[in-house]
Amino acid sequence: NLIDPRPEFASEEARLDAAEQRFRAAIDGTTKKGPQLFAHLGLAGVLFDRGKYADARAAYDDAARLAETTALPEARGRAIEGSALSLEAEGKRDEALKRFADLAEVQGFGHLGRYHQARLWHAQGESQKALETLTKVREALVKDAGPQGRPGFLQASVEELMRTIDPSAVPAPGGQGITPEQLEQLQRQLEEFQRRQQE
């Protein structure tokens, strides 16, 4: 007998319309920087979902500027990431790369910024450069996680991209992958087995 209190909409477009109106009202309805910051982030997300990438980028940039005057580095990092993703969606890859470099300078976002840079380098055909960066990012993430740490979302994304570039770069998840050394050893065992069968 639970009732879902969330509003219902006839379509996804109607939901996005309502969200955009309410985020704009929230921006206009306060002068406090904290609420304005999060309203700009929300508005930017809605505009991105609607494919209005230039408008989304402007809203993300507004949020990033507001975040500089507040003690909210997490929000600043997310705003810069959103701005860079918007540039990428607009087809402005060089500008997106520069913005992802800015992201890598934000405390706590270094690995994420470098992952995004590597992703774009790979898309542009600079796969070796991408793989070198991804390898360093993965090493740092593994070190940060410790011996018992499980791979987080970012590490899993880094490893997946590494395998896309070079399948032998990192073992497959779940312990299913084998190293080149293990593959060589299995090959020798198979050859030995076949030799004995012939004898």
Side-chain angles (χ1 to χ4, degrees):
N1 295 323
L2 295 176
I3 297 174
D4 188 344
R6 294 174 296 181
E8 295 182 11
F9 299 94
S11 66
E12 177 68 5
E13 192 63 25
R15 185 187 70 79
L16 291 171
D17 279 338
E20 182 175 343
Q21 290 171 14
R22 291 180 187 177
F23 280 126
R24 290 189 187 281
I27 290 168
D28 295 336
T30 182
T31 57
K32 294 181 179 178
K33 291 181 180 178
Q36 276 205 343
L37 163 60
F38 290 107
H40 277 290
L41 281 173
L43 175 62
V46 169
L47 293 170
F48 190 94
D49 288 347
R50 301 187 89 162
K52 298 179 179 180
Y53 302 121
D55 293 337
R57 176 168 44 89
Y60 278 124
D61 289 341
D62 286 339
R65 281 189 290 273
L66 284 166
E68 287 177 3
T69 62
T70 63
L72 296 167
E74 174 76 17
R76 181 169 180 266
R78 293 301 170 195
I80 292 172
E81 181 186 23
S83 176
L85 289 169
S86 298
L87 284 165
E88 181 183 353
E90 290 179 84
K92 300 177 179 179
R93 285 186 172 173
D94 289 340
E95 292 178 52
L97 276 168
K98 291 176 185 174
R99 202 66 174 132
F100 283 131
D102 293 339
L103 178 63
E105 298 299 317
V106 178
Q107 182 180 357
F109 285 84
H111 300 326
L112 180 61
R114 285 184 280 280
Y115 161 73
H116 280 305
Q117 285 180 299
R119 188 175 54 74
L120 281 184
W121 286 327
H122 172 58
Q124 292 177 337
E126 299 179 77
S127 295
Q128 189 56 41
K129 183 178 182 180
L131 188 59
E132 289 170 5
T133 298
L134 291 167
T135 300
K136 291 176 184 175
V137 170
R138 180 178 182 268
E139 288 171 358
L141 289 169
V142 169
K143 182 179 178 184
D144 291 347
Q148 302 300 322
R150 292 186 173 206
F153 177 77
L154 179 56
Q155 183 179 333
S157 298
V158 167
E159 291 177 354
E160 182 62 28
L161 183 52
M162 290 175 73
R163 279 190 291 273
T164 299
I165 297 170
D166 178 1
S168 66
V170 65
Q176 299 301 312
I178 58 174
T179 66
E181 293 79 13
Q182 290 171 323
L183 184 61
E184 188 178 333
Q185 183 179 5
L186 286 172
Q187 183 67 34
R188 285 197 303 268
Q189 289 174 349
L190 177 60
E191 289 169 359
E192 177 64 18
F193 174 75
Q194 289 172 337
R195 185 183 62 77
R196 288 182 182 175
Q197 288 292 97
Q198 289 173 353
E199 291 177 354

